[in-house]
Amino acid sequence: QAQLVESGGGLVQTGGSLRLSCAASGRTFRSAMGWFRQAPGKEREFVSAMSWSNDRTFYADSVKGRFTISRDNAKNTVYLKMNSLKPEDTALYYCAASTTSGLYSVPSVGHEYDYWGQGTQVTVSS
């Protein structure tokens, strides 16, 4: 049974940094992996995605320039480095993996992902 497990969330002050990790097990995801987040009372939103080819990335405008996605295919792990954090970044962050996206694809909609982690909480205090 394939699963994704996130880690690295926590409480940080405005302007601080965190690095989220998502380790996949049970299968190798030779396709896009991404991050989404959901704040209380809001819908889930796309944060970032990276292609299996490791050379294509896509970011939501709200995090562009502050967040960096990376992946280690040998470890079946994707990371999200978050800098200059703001209170509005507070949310439950989910890792997601696709099984059907193309080599260079970086999907930004949830239904293009087939596996989801349980989420890791990020709280940014003002």
Side-chain angles (χ1 to χ4, degrees):
Q1 181 76 12
Q3 64 174 356
L4 305 175
V5 179
E6 304 98 333
S7 62
L11 173 64
V12 65
Q13 292 185 331
T14 297
S17 299
L18 284 173
R19 186 195 193 211
L20 306 183
S21 299
C22 171
S25 61
R27 66 174 290 166
T28 298
F29 290 98
R30 294 182 177 85
S31 49
M33 295 185 73
W35 291 92
F36 289 74
R37 66 186 182 186
Q38 187 168 18
K42 295 187 176 181
E43 293 188 353
R44 183 181 64 192
E45 65 174 0
F46 170 77
V47 175
S48 181
M50 189 164 196
S51 64
W52 166 248
S53 65
N54 272 357
D55 60 355
R56 302 239 174 137
T57 58
F58 187 48
Y59 296 93
D61 287 344
S62 58
V63 306
K64 201 173 296 183
R66 300 187 299 122
F67 291 11
T68 302
I69 191 171
S70 61
R71 66 189 289 178
D72 185 335
N73 288 342
K75 295 182 178 180
N76 220 13
T77 300
V78 64
Y79 306 94
L80 186 68
K81 181 66 189 299
M82 307 184 294
N83 295 326
S84 303
L85 283 162
K86 306 174 181 179
E88 51 264 43
D89 295 317
T90 295
L92 189 60
Y93 282 70
Y94 296 94
C95 172
S98 169
T99 60
T100 58
S101 64
L103 179 63
Y104 303 106
S105 177
V106 281
S108 60
V109 290
H111 66 74
E112 297 204 40
Y113 292 88
D114 307 289
Y115 288 88
W116 295 81
Q118 293 298 307
T120 184
Q121 179 67 39
V122 172
T123 302
V124 185
S125 62
S126 57

